[in-house]
Amino acid sequence: MGEPRPSGSIPLDFARLGVCWSESPEDRRRFAIDGREPQWVVFPETVDQVTGVLRQAHGQRLAVAPVGSGAFLHLGGVPRRYQLALSLQKLTRLVDYQPTDMTVTVEAGMTLERLQERLAEQGQWLPLDPPLPQRVTLGGIIAANLSGPARLSQGTIRDLLLGLRVVQADGTVVKGGGRVVKNVAGYDLPKLYCGSLGTLGVIVEATCKVRPRPPVQTVLSLTYPAPTAAMELVLRILASELQPFSLVLTNFHPLADYPGDTGSYPLFVSFAGIPEEVSYQRHRLQELALQQPLQEWEGEVASLLRDALRDFPVTGNAALRCKLSILPAQVGNFYQECVEEAAVRSLPVQLLAHAGNGIVYVRVFGAEGIPEASLLSWVDWLRIAARRRAGYLVVESLAPHLKERIDVWGAVGSAFPVMKKLKETLDPDGILNPGRFIGGM
């Protein structure tokens, strides 16, 4: 639960600020982070209200968690303190949209789904596909550096971000970048906030590049008896002239209601572009696959399949969710070793890899009947397996009392002193998401 309210304390002067606020049990539970509930939840509707709330919170040294709709609050470490949830879900204005320049500026609380709907009216889109687009906000995408299978071909939010408007811990509003693709030279301030998990400031507005929406997208699949064989094809594709939209390898079928290893490894290959381009790549894939049977998914089933592959990191009943980053050439042998080790440990494990990037999601299904020691030991095994491949592991979701016993981020690395100095400079009193970022920041 959240920290007990000091005797005689009263809410911040929300009435003077004109901001909506709540301390209802429902809202506090909705924005709980690893079992810790805030004392208050505020819903500002303007940047000025965000500024006012942060100034008051800063003056009283209250711990603040910037949130959107609450879809990704499981990411990060357990907060050391948590008094105020600052929800930006009412900051949803489309501030500026220039279809001919292919730039858009929106407030941070707009959901990705809503933004895509507006851009689709001009045949454009923000080329990102993180999980749960109907819930995730643009601010959340930036703060958590979220991406999906299309990262292979489209990049990440860092590649699309042109400018940011951020409110610092003391209520100061800062801007970085601009609203045009060609900007002034200098330090790229917006990228500083990508993946900072709301620990350096509250993102209230962002300007991004947009692109034409591909007129055609297809999903094809091939099934292999071993992950190493599937990855041999992936590496041939990456070395060829083909430009896949995404490459996803699993150890289960995303549309089958089966919680464990199927004993086979489906590889899902997606292409996007004009019809002639997609048709050529489809036929070329068949040549590279050495006549391996190829299945094409169409219509509503294809849409369901894309959604399932996209949403894997956050859907389903899982006792543990982890994300590894290794070289694509290492994915096949990691899959093989991981499946074998999970079988020895009697753990129901599902794997999904963005095979062209080397990003692997691992989840252990079900919370009942799995000893806590087994989950913690499995995290240790995965971290060692990643390290042996010059990669790293992040624990994304685990029971709060177990999270407190591990470091969800792993080793801090040589850049940590610089990161710590930035935190101390931008948030010297440590009121923004204390304890949730790397090294306990």
Side-chain angles (χ1 to χ4, degrees), residues 41 55 96 111 114 135-136 150 153 163 176 201 218 248 254 256 274 281 297 302 318 328 349 381 415:
V41 182
R55 282 175 180 162
D96 183 63
T111 65
R114 179 58 182 146
R135 294 187 61 194
V136 69
S153 59
T218 187
V248 179
I274 62 175
Q281 298 203 77
W297 302 84
V349 169
W381 185 90

Side-chain angles (χ1 to χ4, degrees), residues 84-358:
L84 183 67
L86 178 58
S87 173
L88 303 183
Q89 66 181 42
K90 292 189 176 183
L91 270 71
T92 59
R93 290 191 311 126
L94 193 155
V95 178
D96 183 63
Y97 179 29
Q98 301 295 330
T100 54
D101 292 335
M102 293 196 292
T103 64
V104 66
T105 302
V106 298
E107 291 184 326
M110 180 178 284
T111 65
L112 180 61
E113 182 178 70
R114 179 58 182 146
L115 175 58
Q116 301 290 34
E117 290 172 352
R118 296 293 299 271
L119 297 175
E121 296 171 4
Q122 300 294 328
Q124 296 177 340
W125 73 311
L126 184 67
L128 295 170
D129 61 343
L132 306 183
Q134 69 277 16
R135 294 187 61 194
V136 69
T137 61
L138 184 58
I141 292 172
I142 298 168
N145 196 24
L146 300 174
S147 60
R151 175 175 179 167
L152 175 65
S153 59
Q154 306 300 312
T156 67
I157 186 63
R158 288 174 58 88
D159 304 304
L160 302 168
L161 198 58
L162 294 173
L164 273 186
R165 193 176 181 195
V166 179
V167 183
Q168 294 182 316
D170 63 357
T172 302
V173 179
V174 297
K175 296 180 181 179
R179 294 185 181 180
V180 294
V181 174
K182 291 184 179 180
N183 209 344
V184 295
Y187 185 72
D188 196 349
L189 184 65
K191 288 183 173 56
L192 173 66
Y193 293 91
C194 289
S196 64
L197 211 66
T199 58
L200 301 179
V202 180
I203 299 166
V204 292
E205 184 182 291
T207 300
C208 300
K209 294 180 284 188
V210 298
R211 294 173 182 159
R213 180 180 290 273
V216 176
Q217 183 176 348
T218 187
V219 182
L220 306 122
S221 65
L222 309 92
T223 302
Y224 288 87
T228 49
M231 286 305 300
E232 286 175 3
L233 174 59
V234 169
L235 296 178
R236 287 200 298 273
I237 293 172
L238 294 177
S240 75
E241 79 282 12
L242 296 185
Q243 296 181 327
F245 188 77
S246 64
L247 292 166
V248 179
L249 177 67
T250 70
N251 71 329
F252 65 99
H253 199 291
L255 297 184
D257 186 18
Y258 187 79
D261 180 17
T262 64
S264 61
Y265 298 86
L267 174 65
F268 299 92
V269 184
S270 181
F271 297 111
I274 62 175
E276 294 81 2
E277 178 184 13
V278 171
S279 177
Y280 167 79
Q281 298 203 77
R282 181 193 299 111
H283 287 94
R284 183 73 177 105
L285 174 64
Q286 185 67 81
E287 294 176 1
L288 291 175
L290 307 177
Q291 304 309 311
Q292 176 80 8
L294 192 66
Q295 180 173 359
E296 184 166 6
W297 302 84
E298 298 177 327
E300 183 178 352
V301 176
S303 179
L304 292 172
L305 178 58
R306 282 192 292 266
D307 291 350
L309 295 173
R310 177 198 67 201
D311 294 343
F312 175 86
V314 293
T315 54
N317 177 32
L320 171 69
R321 303 176 191 275
C322 299
K323 176 183 177 181
L324 292 88
S325 181
I326 55 180
L327 291 173
Q330 297 282 350
V331 170
N333 60 49
F334 169 76
Y335 257 54
Q336 192 70 52
E337 188 177 347
C338 185
V339 168
E340 292 172 356
E341 183 67 22
V344 171
R345 295 168 180 258
S346 299
L347 291 175
V349 169
Q350 283 191 336
L351 306 170
L352 182 145
H354 298 168
N357 303 111

